Amino acid sequence: MAGNTGAPLLLRLVAASVSVAEKAGTIVRSVFDSGELGVVEKDGKNDLQTQADRSAQECIVQSLSRQFPKVTIIGEEEPTDETVDESHLVTGLSEEVLKAVCPQDLQSVKDEDVVVWVDPLDGTKEYTQGFLDHVTVLIGVAVKGKAVAGVINQPYYNYKAGPGATLGRTMWGIVGLGAFGVERLVPPADKRIVTTTRSHSNKLVTDSIEAMQPDEVLRVGGAGHKVLLVIEGKAHAYVFATPGCKKWDTCAPEAILHALGGKLTDIHGNALQYHKDVKHPNTGGVLATYSDHDWYLSRMPESVKEAVKP
């Protein structure tokens, strides 16, 4: 039930997003298990869409828009003319979220102040190639252009743990409250680990990574997955000095990272904007860290900053 209408809009929206993200994660797994991925190329071989992308987006966008009809929702995938599959719709709200105390500055948020950014399946190429731990479902909530809340479902978390292991997890966070379902861990102190793109590299990306003098580079898929590596201490920074990332890739991860005290900006140190009329590409690239953000900004080559402008 969608009850507790007395709760602040932001809490109800995050509570609904947690329930919806869990359902979307189930859809992602069921499509993969069916073997009928329905892959199409949107803009070349590195920009794919599957039936899981389409069905998960329908689940998220339709479920949220029915509960919050005045809120702007922007999804990665183009809407289809297909009849809505009612079995994909979710009306429940997470009781865990509803029990939380909404931060004071977000208690009176109005529908028109909110934009929800949806990536129904972040890491689609990796999904089609079987790198399943790279895959996430991302629902980010922005208020007046600022990422303030996020929900990340990792459908295949624990998928290598063997029979009996609980498959999948859902994390959520609100700036000023904290993050739940994920634990902040400190990365190794004796080496520097940087994570970056697996399939969208170029000379700008390579030059910026080299400038950070890393001892190890983790080249993986999915912006959500890369920010989780930073949060969970498997990487010190996520560096992506090229415009390939979009607002729906970064809104949810940024909010959760910020809720835990980390930082995500473009490569110039500018805050990303998430209002409804903003251009979707993050043209200034992405830099995410848990600490020493200014040091990573200072290492960014001038030649890269000249080429990658917001």
Side-chain angles (χ1 to χ4, degrees), residues 198-211:
R198 174 177 170 267
S199 56
H200 296 88
S201 193
N202 56 34
K203 188 176 187 302
L204 294 170
V205 172
T206 303
D207 288 351
S208 61
I209 294 294
E210 289 177 354

Side-chain angles (χ1 to χ4, degrees), residues 57-69:
Q57 172 150 316
E58 176 186 76
C59 163
I60 297 166
V61 173
Q62 292 292 335
S63 296
L64 293 181
S65 62
R66 290 190 185 193
Q67 292 192 60
F68 306 94

Side-chain angles (χ1 to χ4, degrees), residues 2-3 29 40 43 48 58 79 120 129 145 164 176 185 227 235-236 260 291 304:
R29 289 193 296 266
V40 296
D43 187 22
L48 305 178
E58 176 186 76
Q129 296 174 335
L185 299 174
V227 174
H236 294 76
L260 288 165
S291 60
V304 173

